[in-house]
Amino acid sequence: MKYFTISCFCLFISYSLHLNAQVPNSGFEDWDSNGEPVGWYTNNAPGVFTTITKSSSAHSGSWAVEGNVASVSGLTLGPAIIVGEEGEGISINFRPASLKGYYKFNSVNNDYMQVQAYFFKDGTGMGVGAANLNPAGSYTQFSINIDYVDSVIPDTVLIAIFIAGQAGFANMGSQMFVDDLSWSNT
């Protein structure tokens, strides 16, 4: 009985670590020499505008991702980050029940912050979770449930986090912070 209990506990710890390890650079601690979060694609255009930067205002650890609206030729662009070096998503081999994380969000003129997770198998969509997040002046946990259309195990997930405006363009002053992303199996 003792062996069974220890084996189950080790299996649970192993499975929990596996779930948390699937979001690359989930605490946004790693940044490359160009100021980009490792494992993520941003809509930054070096020399033209920067919407995504690292911030020491972290929920935990040293860094978080900070997103600010930028203005280019009179148009405003909301910050956006997408998982994967080229924004193509990442490999996954299990079905998480939800995506969790921590955020702060300052909204100007009803801009919204959205978190989306799209799951695919061989290029065909098979699961999705998305939510608009309310403004929050301090770090607040979010949990987005994932809905699946069948029982297939996905092979790719695309996570997108961004700010947009009601009319399409975000407003100067809207700002987001994101940290500590993880999968949940419950």
Side-chain angles (χ1 to χ4, degrees):
M1 182 66 176
K2 225 184 242 188
Y3 176 75
F4 178 74
T5 303
I6 291 170
S7 295
C8 288
F9 178 73
C10 290
L11 181 62
F12 172 75
I13 295 297
S14 172
Y15 187 65
S16 295
L17 292 173
H18 174 74
L19 286 176
N20 291 334
Q22 291 298 316
V23 179
N25 196 13
S26 61
F28 299 98
E29 295 300 312
D30 299 320
W31 294 76
D32 67 20
S33 59
N34 296 318
E36 300 286 323
V38 172
W40 292 82
Y41 175 80
T42 72
N43 64 339
N44 290 342
V48 181
F49 63 87
T50 300
T51 63
I52 297 293
T53 58
K54 72 179 176 178
S55 171
S56 60
S57 178
H59 173 258
S60 71
S62 298
W63 307 107
V65 70
E66 178 179 343
N68 290 286
V69 177
S71 179
V72 179
S73 301
L75 295 176
T76 56
L77 304 168
I81 57 172
I82 304 171
V83 76
E85 292 292 343
E86 300 298 322
E88 75 284 359
I90 57 167
S91 295
I92 193 167
N93 60 2
F94 61 95
R95 293 167 55 103
S98 64
L99 172 64
K100 294 184 174 192
Y102 290 85
Y103 79 102
K104 295 191 294 186
F105 176 46
N106 176 45
S107 174
V108 173
N109 292 332
N110 296 317
D111 283 354
Y112 59 92
M113 177 180 170
Q114 189 162 97
V115 178
Q116 304 171 344
Y118 297 98
F119 293 80
F120 301 89
K121 176 67 173 185
D122 298 326
T124 300
M126 48 85 60
V128 65
N132 288 344
L133 302 179
N134 294 323
S138 61
Y139 273 104
T140 303
Q141 187 175 35
F142 66 83
S143 181
I144 299 167
N145 292 331
I146 310 299
D147 294 315
Y148 296 96
V149 297
D150 56 33
S151 61
V152 173
I153 302 297
D155 60 16
T156 306
V157 61
L158 180 71
I159 302 169
I161 305 170
F162 58 91
I163 295 176
Q166 298 299 320
F169 294 102
N171 292 282
M172 294 300 292
S174 286
Q175 179 183 48
M176 69 178 188
F177 294 84
V178 180
D179 205 2
D180 298 329
L181 300 175
S182 63
W183 299 118
S184 170
N185 64 336
T186 58

